[in-house]
Every structure is written in structure tokens, then in C-alpha cells.
Amino acid sequence: MTVSVVLYTSDLRVHDHPPLRAASDGARDVVPVFVRDPAVDRAGFAVPNRLAFLADCLADLDRGLKDRGGRLVVREGDTVTEVRELVRQVGADEVHMAAGVTGFATAREARLRRVLESDGCRLYVHDGVTCVVPPGDLTPYGSDHFAVFTPYYKRWVHEPLRAPLAAPRVVRVPSDVRSERMPRRSGIADVSPGLAAGGESEGRRRLGSWLSEEVDAYEERHDDLAADRTSRLSPYLHFGAVSAVEAVHRARKRGGAGAEAFVRQLCWRDFHHQVLAARPDAAGADYRPRHDRWRRGAEAGADLAAWREGRTGYPVVDAALRQLAHEGWMHNRGRLIAASFLTKTLYIDWREGARHFLGLLVDGDVANNQLNWQWVAGTGTDSRPQRVLNPVRQGKRYDPDGSYVRRWVPELAGLDGPAVHEPWRLTGLDRAAFDYPDRLIELSAGLARFRQARGVA
């Protein structure tokens, strides 16, 4: 009997899982393993919301494997060291894992390959597990990646996709393989009170429900802040509890304008992954430098603190930041508004905003978070890098009756309709009746400062 090890990273599911299916083929024992690596903690990515969601995902993955006769093995330590020890213990001749795109993931893969090959064990790295189209599969003439979304999408949308894989019917795990205790959400402090439940079972339920009931309205309503007609699948995609490939197949089978718009958003996800795979330094360095001299010092620090706490004086911005704090998630339109306000109205470094988001977002993905922030800041792939989103206009357009603001900024609940977006228009006792901060800056002053800094006429 031969043995294969399946190393789980950001692919916490049993359905449509190429490494698990490949390892399970034939008369093999399989050891599915997840390693809690302290290097992730040191890098700052082990934050409460994602740790809690991860605990849900691991528990659900363990249940899914047990339904097939197996179980999940959990280890703690350096991933390469732990996998090597496990391979030697069980006499495995193969290790299967999903390909990653970050600098950390590719370096880990290279280390693991060297160590395993020195022991006579082969490492199989599978593409198309976390992305729909693997990074590097689509390239323009003369470059290693697409730097503009639209031409990438035009190629991506016609790319043949592999068929989704059924979960293996049986997973045989040797009985003598030790495992650390499974982490539990209840043991994690400082989790956002409204954080969603994690796991493949919940992710597949949400995908099925959304495609059958909500997707038809997606094209017209996906920017509606109050109605929240988004799929909310991003955390499950980030942890790999839902397969992006399967989501595209199922959306296309459903058909219609809403499904097509949803698939386009999945393409954006792939687009950012292929950019980061080609330019790993874009996680922290400007993709397209604008020679910004971002505001620093005490005044900028106070503005940044007010932005983080949702007390900028601009209701739709504050509502978005407060939703983030409560749910560990933020509506995509809110992300754009909040990011534009920080980088272009307050003229504060996008890295500060990206860091705050990564500290709270359950779907805090390096590729999508960092490159979306760069897109908004004008240092990334946006073809209109100097665009500035006016939070008042954005609020009136995407929250026309003010329901989203009143939900998250209860101090303003007494203001009816669109007036909630401009509380500074109140005067005297009317203004004093609302315990809500004044604006950090007038929009015209922020715009003038940004244009001067960027040298825009």
C-alpha cells in the first residue's frame, strides 16, 4: 500500500479538489494535513476574524473527510519541517498541494520541493485550485502578465475550463498518524460580533441559494449598499471552501446578465492573482509609482485614526468602516468609497488602509486587498489613476434613501432620506441634536491638495 500526503493551505474543501482527488486515485492511503505555521503569525496575517473563520473551515473539512472514512491531521510548526516529518513517518512517496501566488507561497513551495526530493519523495503542485485560470496561463504579447483588466477579461472569458471534480467517495487515513487539537472559534478573542460562519458546507449552501434566488438581480443591484445584493462568497473563496472553477460553471449554467456580471467579478479575482504572481513586490510597493509624498505626522495620524474608527464626518465612509468592524466584511462599493477617501481626500498612504483592512477582513487576501487598494490609490492598474470618488455623490447614488448609513451610523437615525449624507448642512440646535463629528476636511480642499500633490491641472 502506497501513501500520499495532501497539504492543505488555502483550499479547505473536499469537492472539486484536484490534489485530494489525485492523491486518492488508486489503492492509496491518504494523509490530509493542515499546518498552523508561526510564520503566518509573524507576517501579521493571523488576525482574529480570519483565525475564527479558519477554525470553522478546518472543523468542517474534518467532518467532510470523516464522512468519507478519513480525517484531517493538524500540525503546528514550520510547514516544510512538519510535512517532511509526516512524510518520513508514514512512508509517503507523494505530496500533493495547490499552487499559490504570493511570494511567501512560492518560496514555501520551492523549499518543500528541495527537501522532499532529497528524501526521494515527489511534490505535485496543482494549478487551477484557487483560481479559475491559473496565473501565467494567459499572457499578452511581450509581457508576462496583463496589466489592464479589459483585455485580460476578453481572453479569460473564452478560456476552456476544466470540469469540476466530485469529492472522493473514500479517503483512507492511517490510524496511527497523530494530530494536534483542532482549533475552535470559541477560543479566539476579539472576533467581530457579526462574523459569518465558515466552512465548505456553509459556502456551498450560500452559493446554491444565491445562484437560485439572488443572482438575477446582481447586475442591476450589486452596488446597492443597503440592499446588499452581493454574493458574500469572498471569504469562502479566500479560504478555498468554495471552488472558483465550480462557481463559474454553475453561474454559466444558470445564465443571464446577473450571472455574467458575477463571473466577471471572479475574473477580477484571477486578474489580481496573475498580477501578483508576476510582480510579488506589488504586495507592498507601488505597481506604478506616482512619486507620492503621502501625508505623515500627528495631523495625518489623527485623520487616519478617525478613518479607522468611522468618525470622519462623512456618513457613508463611516458606515463602511463600522460595517467592517462589526462583520469583518465590507460591501465592495463601501470599500471603494472608503479607500478613495483615505488615499485621495485625506492623501494618506494606501498601505495604511490596506493594513487596517487586512486586520479585520475575513476575506483579507493579499492579491485582492493590496491590488484593489493600489487600483483606488492610482498606483495600480487603473487606467484613470487620478479619479476621485466623491463620498456625498456616491452615498446619494448607491444609498439614495440613507438606509445603509442609518443602519451603521445610528447617531444619524433621526435624519430622513438623502439628508443623512450631509449632516453638516444642519445649523444651530438642529445640528447640535446629533452627536456626530464634523468633517475632517471639506471635499474641495482635499481634492485641491491631491491634485497639487500629483501635479494634475
Side-chain angles (χ1 to χ4, degrees):
M1 179 70 71
T2 53
V3 181
S4 294
V5 169
V6 177
L7 174 59
Y8 276 96
T9 54
S10 299
D11 48 337
L12 305 179
R13 61 182 187 269
V14 297
H15 294 85
D16 192 37
H17 196 278
L20 182 61
R21 279 298 302 267
S24 302
D25 284 347
R28 282 184 168 270
D29 277 357
V30 177
V31 183
V33 61
F34 180 85
V35 181
R36 277 283 291 118
D37 195 328
V40 176
D41 298 16
R42 291 193 297 270
F45 295 116
V47 299
N49 286 341
R50 289 196 295 281
L51 288 176
F53 201 89
L54 172 64
D56 290 351
C57 289
L58 293 177
D60 193 70
L61 175 58
D62 186 50
R63 286 191 292 270
L65 291 167
K66 285 178 177 175
D67 287 344
R68 291 157 178 83
R71 61 190 170 96
L72 179 65
V73 173
V74 176
R75 295 287 177 89
E76 185 167 347
D78 171 68
T79 298
V80 174
T81 301
E82 292 298 323
V83 171
R84 185 183 205 180
E85 178 188 309
L86 182 60
V87 164
R88 289 175 170 178
Q89 177 188 350
V90 301
D93 58 351
E94 296 179 356
V95 173
H96 295 261
M97 67 181 298
V101 300
T102 65
F104 177 85
T106 54
R108 176 181 59 193
E109 175 191 316
R111 285 178 56 221
L112 186 59
R113 187 181 300 280
R114 287 194 301 270
V115 165
L116 292 179
E117 287 182 350
S118 70
D119 287 351
C121 180
R122 186 166 182 178
L123 176 65
Y124 292 91
V125 178
H126 297 259
D127 287 323
V129 182
T130 57
C131 295
V132 181
V133 177
D137 276 18
L138 302 179
T139 57
Y141 179 77
S143 179
D144 58 355
H145 73 289
F146 279 89
V148 180
F149 174 74
T150 299
Y152 177 78
Y153 176 71
K154 289 179 178 179
R155 287 271 302 277
W156 184 94
V157 76
H158 296 295
E159 188 73 3
L161 303 184
R162 64 170 180 80
L165 300 170
R169 288 184 295 177
V170 178
V171 179
R172 291 182 292 269
V173 180
S175 60
D176 59 345
V177 180
R178 71 170 180 85
S179 176
E180 304 289 344
R181 180 178 297 180
M182 198 74 61
R184 295 179 180 274
R185 177 190 281 230
S186 59
I188 300 166
D190 301 321
V191 175
S192 292
L195 186 71
E200 181 181 14
S201 299
E202 177 64 13
R204 291 180 67 81
R205 184 198 67 77
R206 285 177 181 249
L207 175 63
S209 175
W210 190 73
L211 286 176
S212 64
E213 300 172 7
E214 300 288 340
V215 72
D216 291 344
Y218 182 70
E219 183 184 33
E220 293 183 357
R221 303 292 299 278
H222 69 276
D223 276 322
D224 187 328
L225 286 162
D228 191 6
R229 294 298 182 92
T230 63
S231 71
R232 287 193 176 239
L233 287 169
S234 55
Y236 305 93
L237 290 165
H238 170 61
F239 283 90
V242 165
S243 160
V245 170
E246 184 179 1
V248 169
H249 277 286
R250 292 177 65 175
R252 285 175 172 169
K253 183 178 180 180
R254 168 74 182 195
E260 290 177 10
F262 172 62
V263 169
R264 184 180 176 90
Q265 292 303 310
L266 292 173
C267 180
W268 267 109
R269 182 174 179 270
D270 274 15
F271 173 73
H272 286 145
H273 278 77
Q274 60 95 39
V275 171
L276 188 65
R279 299 289 184 271
D281 64 336
D286 289 348
Y287 179 77
R288 289 183 173 135
R290 304 295 176 190
H291 309 293
D292 287 296
R293 295 183 177 179
W294 302 107
R295 291 175 61 224
R296 305 189 187 280
E299 183 179 342
D303 286 352
L304 176 60
W307 177 85
R308 288 171 175 157
E309 295 165 11
R311 51 180 184 85
T312 67
Y314 286 91
V316 74
V317 175
D318 295 343
L321 270 300
R322 295 184 193 189
Q323 180 184 28
L324 173 62
H326 183 80
E327 296 187 350
W329 185 89
M330 187 193 293
H331 192 289
N332 186 61
R333 176 54 54 176
R335 300 186 197 206
L336 295 174
I337 297 169
S340 178
F341 185 81
L342 183 72
T343 57
K344 290 177 173 173
T345 302
L346 296 180
Y347 198 56
I348 291 175
D349 195 333
W350 65 266
R351 281 160 282 252
E352 296 287 356
R355 188 176 299 113
H356 180 67
F357 272 28
L358 280 179
L360 288 168
L361 281 175
V362 64
D363 61 15
D365 177 283
V366 174
N368 291 295
N369 187 66
Q370 308 302 88
L371 291 172
N372 269 319
W373 267 97
Q374 291 223 46
W375 189 91
V376 176
T379 63
T381 61
D382 187 9
S383 58
R384 293 172 53 200
Q386 314 308 342
R387 82 171 82 201
V388 179
L389 300 183
N390 181 310
V392 178
R393 292 176 186 166
Q394 292 281 308
K396 290 181 176 180
R397 181 176 181 181
Y398 298 114
D399 185 30
D401 69 356
S403 295
Y404 177 75
V405 166
R406 280 186 289 275
R407 181 183 308 159
W408 295 110
V409 188
E411 308 97 290
L412 300 177
L415 276 175
D416 295 329
V420 77
H421 294 295
E422 299 176 284
W424 55 85
R425 291 189 176 276
L426 299 173
T427 59
L429 293 176
D430 290 334
R431 175 66 181 91
F434 294 95
D435 183 19
Y436 182 71
D438 293 329
R439 294 175 291 175
L440 293 178
I441 189 173
E442 291 191 9
L443 296 179
S444 59
L447 181 60
R449 178 173 59 194
F450 172 72
R451 286 179 170 172
Q452 181 179 16
R454 284 276 175 94
V456 180

